Structure formats: C-alpha cells, structure tokens
Amino acid sequence: MTSSIPAADSRAAKGTALQAVFLDLDGTLVDTEGFWWEAESEVFAELGHVLNDTHREVVVGGPMTRSAGYLIQATGAQIGLPELSGLLNARFAARIGRGVPLMPGARRLLAELAAHGVPTALVSASHRTIIDRMLHSLGPANFHLTLAGDELERTKPHPDPYLTAAARLGVDPARCAVVEDTLTGVRAGEAAGCRVVAVPSVVPVPPAAGRTVVRSLEEVDLSFLRALITESN
C-alpha cells in the first residue's frame, strides 16, 4: 500500500542527475526517536524490566520486529512478539496523537523538493498506521510515495525498501539520494546502491567511503543533493 498520491513520472527528472529523494521518518524528518524509547521503557517497566542506554543503541532505527524481539531476548520478559508489538505501537500512537515536532530544516527541505517537482518518497520501518498519523504533520502532498515497514517481507537494514521505492517511481537507485539518521537505515540505502546522507539523531553514524554525514537537515538542500549524485557519476 502507498499513499493516494500517484507515482511521479520519472521524466520529470530529465535534465538533472538526481532522479528522486528518499527520506526516512523517525529521527530524520520528525523528532520522535525519543518517543519510541519512552514507549519502550514504559512498557517494559510495566513488565518488570528496566531498559538502559545499551538497549537503546541497539533498537534505535530498527524495525518493530527486530527491536521488540531483541528487547524480549535481552530482558527475558514473558511476552510474545505480536503482543509486545501491539503494546508498543499503541503507546507510541498515543504520544504522537498530540502532534509530532519536525526536525530542524525538515519543512524547508520538503517544500523545496515539492516546489521543484522532485519525486520524493517517505521510506520508513514504522507501520502504516503510524506513518499515516504522522503524515498529518508532514503534509501528505509532499510525497509521491510512502512505504511502511509492515508492507514488505524484509525492511531495513535490507535494501528492499529503497529498491521497492525506486521501482515504483521508475527511477535508477544509483541516481537517488537517501536521507537517514541511523546506521540501520544508512546501510539499507547503501545496499540499494543509492547515495546516502546521514543525519545522526541519537547514535553517531561513522563516516565511510561514499557516505556523507551532516549535523542537521539545515545543511541539506536540493543543490546539495544534486551535487552528491553528480559527483558519483
């Protein structure tokens, strides 16, 4: 399932090297990584377990199945994965129901991409119900496509989400820019063959060949993204 916005014709990108921009959600566009951690900590406290920063470093940016599965194993909590996933999603949904804060530079970047007709996809490991709630804050018209973690058999760090987004938009992954805040998402974008910009939120992302690391989305604009693709060709 995608958003109701029709996929963009890749011909709109002719004349430029950049064909599309793929954006992560939590910690990249919206300042919600802390919301997830609070939900996880509260649920596990109710189960009689205390989570620490070591746990947080492992689960940040991960899909629900991986994060919840890890926490069950690490704490020994007596709860099944489906039940825990439901509790975490419900607790998180309650928090974002009051609205979500955008990361600095997010609204400006989305507006610039939309103004220039750049095909833009929201590619998240979060479930569809969560994405749809947060789209009210982001503006659904800013995206030609949205892809949720529970709509694919394999999500990040596998390349499938970004390869799927590229296929649905009819673009070449090598001419697409990915913006992510965690190493999990960065690895997914790199495995798909995209040029990746890391904007670390909670856990640092180390530099690597072909990887661009910035401090904030305020450093990222359309010219910056176009230059990344031009440099790689």
Side-chain angles (χ1 to χ4, degrees):
M1 181 185 298
T2 65
S3 69
S4 60
I5 302 171
D9 189 332
S10 61
R11 289 175 298 178
K14 282 188 175 180
T16 68
L18 178 69
Q19 290 187 341
V21 176
F22 303 146
L23 297 152
D24 174 51
L25 180 60
D26 292 294
T28 300
L29 290 177
V30 292
D31 191 8
T32 51
E33 289 290 10
F35 288 13
W36 276 115
W37 179 243
E38 289 170 7
E40 289 159 347
S41 297
E42 289 174 5
V43 168
F44 272 86
E46 292 166 4
L47 294 171
H49 299 276
V50 177
L51 302 183
N52 57 46
D53 288 343
T54 300
H55 296 133
R56 186 179 191 183
E57 291 176 4
V58 175
V59 302
V60 65
M64 175 65 72
T65 52
R66 191 199 74 187
S67 298
Y70 163 79
L71 291 173
I72 290 173
Q73 183 178 27
T75 63
Q78 299 300 302
I79 188 171
L81 183 58
E83 182 183 0
L84 177 59
S85 296
L87 289 174
L88 292 175
N89 269 320
R91 190 66 57 93
F92 182 77
R95 287 184 174 276
I96 65 173
R98 298 184 292 272
V100 293
L102 270 61
M103 297 297 283
R107 192 173 299 284
R108 186 264 314 152
L109 177 60
L110 290 174
E112 183 180 17
L113 294 174
H116 288 82
V118 178
T120 303
L122 181 66
V123 183
S124 174
S126 292
H127 288 192
R128 168 56 58 185
T129 54
I130 297 298
I131 287 179
D132 287 346
R133 282 177 179 245
M134 287 199 268
L135 278 173
H136 293 296
S137 297
L138 289 167
N142 286 316
F143 303 99
H144 297 83
L145 170 75
T146 67
L147 191 62
D150 58 341
E151 294 170 345
L152 298 171
E153 289 187 10
R154 300 194 310 174
T155 187
K156 306 171 188 180
H158 298 288
D160 304 35
Y162 289 114
L163 292 176
T164 300
R168 291 183 182 177
L169 288 177
V171 296
D172 177 4
R175 294 178 65 185
C176 297
V178 165
V179 184
E180 281 274 2
D181 72 304
T182 68
L183 189 55
T184 296
V186 166
R187 285 174 172 163
E190 291 173 343
C194 305
R195 286 306 301 266
V196 179
V197 180
V199 192
S201 59
V202 176
V203 178
V205 175
R211 178 185 302 167
T212 302
V213 182
V214 299
R215 292 171 297 179
S216 165
L217 280 182
E218 293 180 319
E219 299 179 37
V220 181
D221 59 16
L222 181 54
S223 295
F224 178 91
L225 296 173
R226 282 175 170 164
L228 288 179
I229 305 301
T230 301
E231 290 170 3
S232 66
N233 292 310

